[in-house]
Amino acid sequence: MPNSHDLKGLMKFLSRDEWRDCFEDTLDDHFGPVLDASNMEFDDLAEMLGDHWAMTLWGCAFEDFLTQDFDVEGGNIADDYLKRRGWKEGAQAKAYMKALRTSVMSLYEVSDIVSGKSLMARDLIRGGDPVLVSEGTATKTLQQWDRVAARVVPVAGKNIIGGGLLPFTPEASDALFDGLRAIFGKGRSKKLPVPTNEELQQAAPVFTLSWLFDTLDRTMRMEQTTFENGDGDAIIFHDVRFPLASGITPKEITAQLKTVPALRQENAKFWNWLGDIPKGRLKAGKSGNLAWDTSMEDGARVLGNVELKGRFLHLSTNSAARAEKGTALMQGALNDLVGKPLTEIRTVEQMMAERPVHKDTARPELPPEIATKVVHEFLDKQYRETLDQPVGMLGNISPREAIKTAKGREKAAEWLKYLENRSSSQPDPNDPMATYDFQWIWTELGIENLRR
């Protein structure tokens, strides 16, 4: 006997001629605009996002398909299957299929998460009080105030979540509400009227598309992002090693390097290779790339480092252009004091992969309870100051100013939920950032009633 949430029999029913073409239309509604815009096939999504998300997306479309009526024999696949094959299913499996048949996709804000057991879900589109949802898997990864698109359905006296659950970023949420306002909005009003269940059923593809456009955009931006230095050159680490010529001592090298104006000596064996102090902004890199450079306290840019290590002089810098320039500088200053250089090249990814996983034992760590106390006291001070400072999410007014109006209090609550969500999303649940308690800020602003 299949388990209570097993839809394999219903999925096999898709192979029937009358349902195959109908489902293709539903798949096109959910993925067509994204695939057409990206010149991709559905299988390409698995390569970009992974099999898990490809199957989740397929599940979102399938659950939507279960709610639709078509001008074919049987009318609705769930009704048709239960009529023809329902005798094969257990009572709970049939109840689950019937619940999905009338379900709607919506955007929920989750709270009060009990890992492996349950969560509270507040419908951000239809409103109402949060409802208790029994959920085992998702509660192990969700964080307080996360937003998810899902179908919450009642089965056997409990609310459960269907198989198609999509985590929404703030950007995806904004895109979703823009899409829903375009469908259900009145005139130029920015307020989204509460849609009926029937209307929300018809808008199911908007959820999938909003999530997909946002996720693919972030994925492709991450793939295209490169690190650049202040010259606009791609970050590629170069270690140029000059062997000391036979009979040459480190003292002779040191004496000669002291004559190079661009080198600033830090100790007996280490120099910073400096560029000019920039008069204006550094050269801008390509859009989306990450700038990475170092400067001295007086503003002079550090182009590289020079270090004596045994019988080698090392020039370390972060781009091919700087390595070429630095090599010429060293050879011009040292001439026949050094031999032909050898160069080792490593990318940012290689450098990150080579970082040791063990902790630095040379520097003592603070006991966890002390570290937590220090971080929490720092955050207390920082957030107390923030309450009187302009905040972008609040329209560039302070939280204390915002709470003077009903709309401002709602925005302040959204701002606090955003802070809590970011704080709780640390990889280590025992991290001082993850354990910080924001309750005092809600109380300070007098908006505890909105913390739901």
Side-chain angles (χ1 to χ4, degrees):
M1 182 70 68
N3 67 47
S4 60
H5 298 161
D6 192 344
L7 300 178
K8 290 180 181 177
L10 191 50
M11 291 177 183
K12 290 180 180 178
F13 214 57
L14 284 173
S15 62
R16 296 176 66 92
D17 292 339
E18 63 266 34
W19 297 121
R20 188 185 305 112
D21 291 341
C22 294
F23 187 52
E24 287 295 328
D25 291 339
T26 300
L27 288 175
D28 189 59
D29 289 339
H30 281 260
F31 310 122
V34 170
L35 298 179
D36 291 344
S38 306
N39 194 27
M40 295 192 303
E41 300 293 334
F42 182 80
D43 290 343
D44 296 328
L45 293 177
E47 292 187 17
M48 293 191 68
L49 306 178
D51 291 336
H52 167 75
W53 290 117
M55 289 305 300
T56 299
L57 290 165
W58 188 93
C60 289
F62 180 68
E63 290 179 345
D64 178 30
F65 182 61
L66 299 184
T67 70
Q68 297 184 38
D69 294 300
F70 296 91
D71 189 18
V72 297
E73 183 180 356
N76 171 273
I77 188 173
D79 293 342
D80 193 28
Y81 175 78
L82 290 172
K83 180 179 178 181
R84 296 172 183 264
R85 301 283 190 271
W87 58 273
K88 292 184 176 182
E89 304 288 348
Q92 285 199 23
K94 288 190 284 188
Y96 181 52
M97 293 178 191
K98 290 178 181 178
L100 287 175
R101 165 72 171 96
T102 58
S103 67
V104 297
M105 192 78 152
S106 195
L107 186 68
Y108 295 91
E109 179 183 76
V110 302
S111 61
D112 299 332
I113 301 165
V114 180
S115 182
K117 293 184 178 181
S118 65
L119 55 82
M120 297 297 291
R122 184 168 71 94
D123 195 322
L124 298 177
I125 295 175
R126 292 176 293 176
D129 293 329
V131 297
L132 179 65
V133 178
S134 296
E135 171 58 38
T137 304
T139 52
K140 296 177 181 179
T141 55
L142 288 173
Q143 303 294 335
Q144 180 85 341
W145 310 125
D146 271 349
R147 292 182 174 188
V148 297
R151 294 173 185 269
V152 175
V153 295
V155 177
K158 296 181 179 180
N159 292 312
I160 64 173
I161 293 177
L165 184 148
L166 299 173
F168 266 56
T169 64
E171 293 76 18
S173 300
D174 291 342
L176 172 64
F177 279 101
D178 287 343
L180 294 178
R181 275 191 290 267
I183 298 173
F184 304 123
K186 297 180 180 179
R188 297 183 178 180
S189 174
K190 294 183 178 181
K191 186 177 181 180
L192 175 66
V194 178
T196 64
N197 285 356
E198 291 75 16
E199 290 174 332
L200 210 49
Q201 282 180 341
Q202 296 173 8
V206 180
F207 291 83
T208 312
L209 292 169
S210 299
W211 186 89
L212 255 179
F213 274 117
D214 174 65
T215 302
L216 288 176
D217 179 63
R218 287 185 291 109
T219 301
M220 288 187 284
R221 277 192 282 116
M222 287 178 64
E223 291 177 349
Q224 295 169 0
T225 295
T226 60
F227 290 93
E228 295 180 351
N229 62 23
D231 299 326
D233 299 323
I235 295 288
I236 303 176
F237 296 98
H238 287 65
D239 182 17
V240 186
R241 290 169 292 186
F242 299 86
L244 273 60
S246 179
I248 300 301
T249 66
K251 285 186 178 181
E252 292 176 272
I253 298 295
T254 299
Q256 196 62 25
L257 291 180
K258 287 181 177 180
T259 67
V260 181
L263 297 181
R264 184 181 298 178
Q265 191 167 8
E266 290 294 320
N267 58 46
K269 296 184 178 182
F270 189 92
W271 295 259
N272 285 307
W273 171 31
L274 305 180
D276 296 332
I277 299 176
K279 296 180 180 179
R281 296 180 63 182
L282 299 179
K283 181 188 294 184
K286 296 178 182 178
S287 177
N289 291 349
L290 301 177
W292 187 2
D293 234 335
T294 306
S295 61
M296 303 295 286
E297 291 183 0
D298 61 2
R301 286 191 296 151
V302 178
L303 304 181
N305 305 123
V306 178
E307 185 175 10
L308 269 170
K309 296 181 179 179
R311 296 289 301 169
F312 285 89
L313 180 71
H314 289 252
L315 166 68
S316 301
T317 188
N318 63 16
S319 75
R322 289 183 181 180
E324 182 179 355
K325 184 177 179 181
T327 299
L329 179 67
M330 293 297 100
Q331 289 176 328
L334 300 174
N335 294 310
D336 57 358
L337 298 182
V338 293
K340 185 177 180 179
L342 297 174
T343 303
E344 180 183 3
I345 299 174
R346 287 177 292 178
T347 64
V348 173
E349 292 76 14
Q350 289 171 325
M351 287 286 285
M352 294 177 69
E354 292 170 6
R355 290 179 62 185
V357 296
H358 60 79
K359 295 182 179 179
D360 183 4
T361 56
R363 182 176 60 188
E365 293 187 357
L366 286 173
E369 63 275 11
I370 301 299
T372 296
K373 184 175 184 294
V374 170
V375 172
H376 286 185
E377 288 179 351
F378 171 78
L379 291 175
D380 283 343
K381 181 176 182 296
Q382 182 185 44
Y383 286 129
R384 192 165 294 282
E385 292 175 352
T386 301
L387 294 181
D388 296 298
Q389 297 173 350
V391 174
M393 286 184 66
L394 303 180
N396 291 320
I397 62 174
S398 72
R400 295 192 194 280
E401 284 293 318
I403 61 173
K404 294 180 180 179
T405 66
K407 186 175 182 179
R409 286 192 290 275
E410 291 180 3
K411 286 187 175 182
E414 292 298 318
W415 170 65
L416 278 176
K417 288 178 179 180
Y418 175 80
L419 294 180
E420 282 196 63
N421 182 252
R422 298 300 94 183
S423 181
S424 64
S425 298
Q426 303 299 317
D428 181 2
N430 296 317
D431 187 288
M433 291 291 293
T435 60
Y436 185 71
D437 188 358
F438 287 80
Q439 177 61 51
W440 73 268
I441 307 180
W442 292 88
T443 303
E444 181 85 6
L445 295 177
I447 55 174
E448 303 103 310
N449 62 310
L450 297 179
R451 194 172 189 247
R452 57 184 179 85

